Amino acid sequence: MLSLFLVLLATQLLRISLAQSSVDSFISTEFPIAKANILANIGPSGSNTQGAKAGIVIASPSTSNPDYLYTWTRDSSLVFKALIDQFTQGSDTSLRSLIDDFVSAESILQQVSNPSGSVSTGGLGEPKFNIDETAFTGAWGRPQRDGPALRATALITYANWLISDGNSSYVSNTLWPVIKLDLEYVSQNWNQTTLISKEVSSSSFFTSAVQHRSLREGAALATTLGQTSVVSGYTDQAANILCFMQSYWNSGGSYMTANTGGGRSGKDANTILTSVHTFDASAGCDAVTLQPCSDKALANLLAYVNAFRSVYPINSGIASNEAVATGRYPEDSYYNGNPWYLTTLAVAEQLYDAITVWNTQGSLNVTSLSQPFFAQFQSNIAVGTYASFSSTFTSLVSAVKDFADGFVAVVANYTPSTGGLSEQYSKSDGTPLSADNLTWSYAAALTCFQSRAGFIPASWGAVGLTVSSTCSTGGSSGSGNTVAVTFNVQATTVYGENIYITGSVDALQNWSPDNAIALNADNYPTWSVTINLPVSTAIEYKYIRKNNGAVTWESDPNMQLTTPAGGTYVENDTWR
């Protein structure tokens, strides 16, 4: 029996060794390809940029089906955060002029008036611009409020390095004015809804988390620069956001609900990306900020991954404890709903970050919440703390590493021989789909591969944070408390026709049919959406129909309601 056990063990170790070798080979080939393609998508000299201004990141060179030849604040900031990390940690010192171009480009875009407003009236929430630094004025899901926070984080990382390098004057004179505009926007608007993936107006966990991070590190930078007048405001609002973040947790399902509206389950890559982009190794396995190795983050990862096991045909037949292709959310219908390269890589990155922290702190803690995650690899694992010198620690970390490598292997399996990464790959056969050469896909590959190698980004101040016993939803302007209002409308439609809502306040897009908020038809013929509206406010609104560009308003008079002072509210209507 012992000899049989040893044979089986040797076979398993050989399988793991071969799998890791395959992943090693893919990373060594793909890393330089991903880096080169990122640079190819940055103006003015990138080979794919088609006239983009200096420092402008194009989302993709694709100009049709879909047209992504624009620059998104979110994507650009995440891409440059990856490049800034490489520069500040010394792995690529050639990037400085490109980073300075990015600073200049973003300072220009901040001042461009657009459909979301001017720099002082909400324009910082505009999600995308033309690559010549002019406003995109077509229909789009706006505002999207994560961009300013992500841009601030990228620039703060650069600012902190410059200060340590003795260049405080550039930070004070050039970077701080750009950063402050974004932080003021976050501080004043964090409690407003945002457009999620262009489709749903809702509060977003990812948006809340990156806003929280930006204000924490923004307050620290302001203190360093002597800009003390803003510190208490940023700190107070950061505390409020941290408190609000706890409300996204679904205790019944043991996962973080990605958004508060839209009729979805809430199992969403949004939450995995949160752990990745707010990773602070010095905070250990803190659950309050959903650090990668926290019990909540691991339980959430398990729920998210499992949500895709039966959704995509390419996942068929894969064991329940092995990696699979993952996408944005299981209910996704964009391009018929497929896995994305960046979301699959994000799962691996979270797990690599978790391993880094376990190895650094010399222990691994299994709680009742995270036990089902660990039980994938050791069915009888007991709740407890396992020191790094224990065989349980060694076997669990090895199994998690193998699990993480499996997600990279999925990406490798569906990456063409050129190494090009599109936005999506087919749920049926893995063929690349949607926009080709997606810059964010390449950036996700870089950060995932670096995390596997043990890269630790600079701390942003997540250590020792606690949730206040009393929480406020007010922005720093002293106003803006909101209440979640669910709109239900009975409306029969024809194929291709959808129902939207717009109305008399900012959260309802100020009577703009172009920016009207889409309702979902999960319970057709009832169409629904949940929107955060100002409390104790008289509001007028109407539903509209859109079909192939044609807009039909419902008949007069306007619908009316007065929001309550707190709690939640449901409005049931019938199209007229």
Side-chain angles (χ1 to χ4, degrees):
M1 290 297 292
L2 179 59
S3 61
L4 176 60
F5 170 77
L6 292 174
V7 168
L8 292 174
L9 178 61
T11 302
Q12 174 72 356
L13 291 174
L14 177 60
R15 185 188 68 80
I16 292 173
S17 176
L18 290 173
Q20 290 179 342
S21 176
S22 175
V23 169
D24 290 339
S25 177
F26 172 68
I27 290 174
S28 66
T29 301
E30 185 63 24
F31 189 95
I33 293 174
K35 179 70 171 291
N37 278 291
I38 287 175
L39 300 180
N41 285 358
I42 301 175
S45 302
S47 59
N48 292 331
T49 53
Q50 306 178 49
K53 295 283 190 176
I56 291 291
V57 180
I58 66 167
S60 160
S62 175
T63 57
S64 63
N65 299 319
D67 182 2
Y68 277 14
L69 192 60
Y70 298 96
T71 185
W72 271 262
T73 304
R74 174 197 303 113
D75 298 37
S76 301
S77 299
L78 290 169
V79 167
F80 262 96
K81 175 60 165 64
L83 296 179
I84 289 168
D85 281 344
Q86 287 197 346
F87 173 74
T88 57
Q89 303 241 353
S91 62
D92 189 346
T93 57
S94 71
L95 293 170
R96 184 163 183 173
S97 63
L98 199 63
I99 295 169
D100 289 339
D101 284 346
F102 171 69
V103 173
S104 298
E106 295 304 309
S107 67
I108 291 170
L109 291 178
Q110 281 186 326
Q111 301 296 327
V112 175
S113 293
N114 56 69
S116 293
S118 68
V119 66
S120 59
T121 61
L124 295 180
E126 182 69 7
K128 74 174 185 177
F129 294 83
N130 297 319
I131 63 174
D132 63 357
E133 298 175 340
T134 60
F136 171 74
T137 58
W140 198 253
R142 51 171 67 94
Q144 295 181 23
R145 303 186 194 275
D146 53 353
L150 292 166
R151 178 166 56 202
T153 283
L155 296 183
I156 289 169
T157 303
Y158 187 36
N160 288 335
W161 180 86
L162 288 168
I163 291 170
S164 68
D165 196 50
N167 196 353
S168 296
S169 60
Y170 178 82
V171 174
S172 295
N173 298 329
T174 302
L175 287 182
W176 177 247
V178 179
I179 293 168
K180 184 181 179 185
L181 283 174
D182 282 339
L183 295 178
E184 291 294 324
Y185 178 88
V186 170
S187 184
Q188 294 170 17
N189 292 279
W190 69 264
N191 55 357
Q192 302 298 315
T193 57
T194 185
L195 266 290
I196 311 296
S197 303
K198 309 184 289 294
E199 298 135 4
V200 175
S201 181
S202 167
S203 294
S204 156
F205 181 68
F206 176 79
T207 299
S208 296
V210 298
Q211 288 174 332
H212 170 251
R213 171 179 176 165
S214 71
L215 290 178
R216 293 286 183 189
E217 55 192 348
L221 177 62
T223 300
T224 299
L225 296 176
Q227 301 286 335
T228 55
S229 62
V230 300
V231 172
S232 62
Y234 294 169
T235 302
D236 288 347
Q237 295 312 315
N240 289 334
I241 300 173
L242 184 63
C243 187
F244 179 60
M245 284 167 57
Q246 311 314 305
S247 68
Y248 290 91
W249 180 249
N250 183 322
S251 58
S254 296
Y255 65 89
M256 196 64 73
T257 305
N259 45 71
T260 58
R264 302 176 190 163
S265 65
K267 298 171 184 177
D268 193 306
N270 166 324
T271 60
I272 306 299
L273 292 168
T274 296
S275 284
V276 166
H277 293 296
T278 61
F279 174 42
D280 187 338
S282 60
C285 297
D286 174 55
V288 170
T289 54
L290 204 72
Q291 290 303 305
C293 60
S294 66
D295 55 358
K296 283 188 174 181
L298 295 173
N300 176 71
L301 183 144
L302 178 63
Y304 164 76
V305 170
N306 285 346
F308 292 94
R309 292 192 180 277
S310 60
V311 172
Y312 302 146
I314 58 173
N315 290 338
S316 178
I318 297 176
S320 61
N321 63 347
E322 293 186 1
V324 292
T326 68
R328 294 193 300 175
Y329 46 91
E331 304 89 350
D332 196 4
S333 60
Y334 181 57
Y335 271 77
N336 202 29
N338 295 286
W340 288 40
Y341 289 101
L342 71 90
T343 60
T344 309
L345 288 165
V347 177
E349 184 171 349
Q350 180 187 327
L351 296 172
Y352 293 141
D353 288 341
I355 291 169
T356 294
V357 173
W358 291 328
N359 285 329
T360 300
Q361 67 186 19
S363 64
L364 178 156
N365 190 36
V366 178
T367 70
S368 58
L369 185 57
S370 62
Q371 195 274 342
F373 169 81
F374 290 107
Q376 296 179 103
F377 318 115
Q378 186 172 322
S379 60
N380 63 344
I381 186 68
V383 169
T385 300
Y386 299 91
S388 57
F389 54 77
S390 67
S391 60
T392 301
F393 178 95
T394 301
S395 63
L396 284 177
V397 169
S398 177
V400 173
K401 171 73 162 16
D402 189 35
F403 188 49
D405 280 351
F407 291 93
V408 178
V410 169
V411 168
N413 191 41
Y414 299 118
T415 297
S417 58
T418 61
L421 296 178
S422 296
E423 180 181 65
Q424 306 173 38
Y425 52 105
S426 169
K427 63 184 177 183
S428 299
D429 61 12
T431 303
L433 293 174
S434 187
D436 64 350
N437 289 303
L438 191 79
T439 318
W440 191 359
S441 293
Y442 292 123
L446 287 192
T447 57
C448 176
F449 300 163
Q450 289 173 168
S451 291
R452 187 175 186 264
F455 172 80
I456 298 177
S459 172
W460 56 266
V463 182
L465 297 177
T466 57
V467 179
S468 174
S469 58
T470 58
C471 304
S472 170
T473 59
S476 64
S477 61
S479 61
N481 287 356
T482 61
V483 58
V485 177
T486 298
F487 292 91
N488 298 318
V489 60
Q490 295 283 324
T492 56
T493 56
V494 299
Y495 181 77
E497 187 175 46
N498 291 286
I499 304 297
Y500 294 75
I501 187 172
T502 187
S504 60
V505 294
D506 287 348
L508 290 176
Q509 305 302 311
N510 295 310
W511 295 114
S512 170
D514 289 340
N515 301 325
I517 298 164
L519 282 74
N520 75 76
D522 292 346
N523 297 306
Y524 182 84
T526 300
W527 296 72
S528 302
V529 68
T530 301
I531 303 171
N532 288 347
L533 297 177
V535 300
S536 305
T537 302
I539 291 170
E540 296 186 359
Y541 65 96
K542 272 188 177 180
Y543 301 102
I544 62 176
R545 296 172 182 261
K546 292 187 182 183
N547 189 1
N548 292 325
V551 175
T552 303
W553 293 78
E554 65 175 342
S555 59
D556 290 333
N558 296 334
M559 299 285 208
Q560 299 182 27
L561 67 85
T562 298
T563 58
T568 59
Y569 186 80
V570 177
E571 179 74 14
N572 295 310
D573 297 317
T574 300
W575 174 273
R576 53 178 173 75

